[in-house]
Amino acid sequence: MKSEFRRFFLNLRREMEEDCIKENSEKIIENLLASDFYKNSQSIFVYVSKNKEVETKDFIKKAIADGKKIYVPKIKDHKMFAAKLDDLSELQAGAFDIPTSKSLEFIKDPDLSICPGLSFDDDKNRLGYGGGFYDRFLRENKTTKIGLMISDFRSIKIPADPWDIKMDFIITEDKIF
């Protein structure tokens, strides 16, 4: 069931125009930057966008300029860690070709964790890529969990397993819920 959902949303994303993703991403990031949970956080764990995900590179630059401590996913020994990133120039390809930091400085319990997803539903369930890395990370870290989503990718109901971790908030180009 979930694999069919994943296939559907990957195709949908592949067909979406780059301009549409860029435009919606800018609005989503504006909503994130205007939020109290952004303003009140010191440490932020955030994915580095690729393959038409909601674009996060400008957010990362802005957050660093705002004096936030930024951490990005680093996968070691089949486990995901939050690795310090001081500048986008420090990025390198990591496991699964995911952009990651060269740093080996990790944090536990970041104030905010910004998670990618193929889709989210109104109950704040997340459809990830199927590796379980985020669910394990979120289970082991006390953090405010935020999903970024272009509204077109919203699901009515995502089939959730007991080990799936719900988001605390979803941010779209139109709203935060």
Side-chain angles (χ1 to χ4, degrees):
M1 181 72 158
K2 276 191 185 175
S3 59
E4 291 167 32
F5 269 72
R6 282 190 188 98
R7 210 172 15 260
F8 174 81
F9 284 108
L10 280 167
N11 284 335
L12 192 64
R13 184 191 287 170
R14 221 181 342 267
E15 291 167 16
M16 189 171 267
E17 296 291 326
E18 294 281 350
D19 290 350
C20 183
I21 290 171
K22 186 174 172 15
E23 196 177 298
N24 283 307
S25 292
E26 285 170 3
K27 292 178 189 160
I28 290 167
I29 296 307
E30 273 174 34
N31 289 340
L32 172 58
L33 291 169
S35 71
D36 284 341
F37 34 76
Y38 171 75
K39 292 176 184 159
N40 297 329
S41 63
Q42 295 307 305
S43 55
I44 301 172
F45 174 59
V46 58
Y47 70 96
V48 181
S49 53
K50 64 178 243 177
N51 300 340
K52 295 188 170 182
E53 290 176 319
V54 170
E55 182 55 58
T56 58
K57 291 185 183 90
D58 289 344
F59 167 75
I60 291 170
K61 278 188 219 157
K62 172 80 171 98
I64 290 170
D66 286 348
K68 308 285 185 187
K69 288 184 170 54
I70 294 297
Y71 298 84
V72 296
K74 187 180 205 90
I75 294 173
K76 280 178 46 162
D77 306 322
H78 308 292
K79 195 174 166 162
M80 186 167 73
F81 297 90
K84 184 95 167 64
L85 183 72
D86 292 316
D87 190 80
L88 286 174
S89 65
E90 295 173 11
L91 288 172
Q92 62 185 20
F96 307 109
D97 208 26
I98 295 167
T100 189
S101 174
K102 294 174 183 165
S103 172
L104 292 174
E105 183 185 329
F106 301 124
I107 189 179
K108 191 143 173 52
D109 305 328
D111 297 334
L112 211 53
S113 289
I114 298 171
C115 308
L118 291 168
S119 179
F120 297 91
D121 66 17
D122 292 345
D123 291 330
K124 301 183 182 72
N125 289 304
R126 173 181 164 271
L127 180 68
Y129 297 94
F133 289 100
Y134 275 87
D135 291 317
R136 285 192 295 277
F137 178 85
L138 296 171
R139 188 172 302 106
E140 294 167 9
N141 286 268
K142 191 177 171 329
T143 183
T144 300
K145 304 170 286 299
I146 295 183
L148 303 182
M149 174 183 70
I150 295 172
S151 298
D152 290 356
F153 294 95
R154 182 178 150 259
S155 289
I156 302 299
K157 185 84 183 111
I158 291 172
D161 291 306
W163 55 84
D164 290 333
I165 303 287
K166 289 180 188 251
M167 299 292 101
D168 296 312
F169 300 97
I170 310 294
I171 301 179
T172 71
E173 66 278 13
D174 304 318
K175 63 182 180 179
I176 297 177
F177 67 92

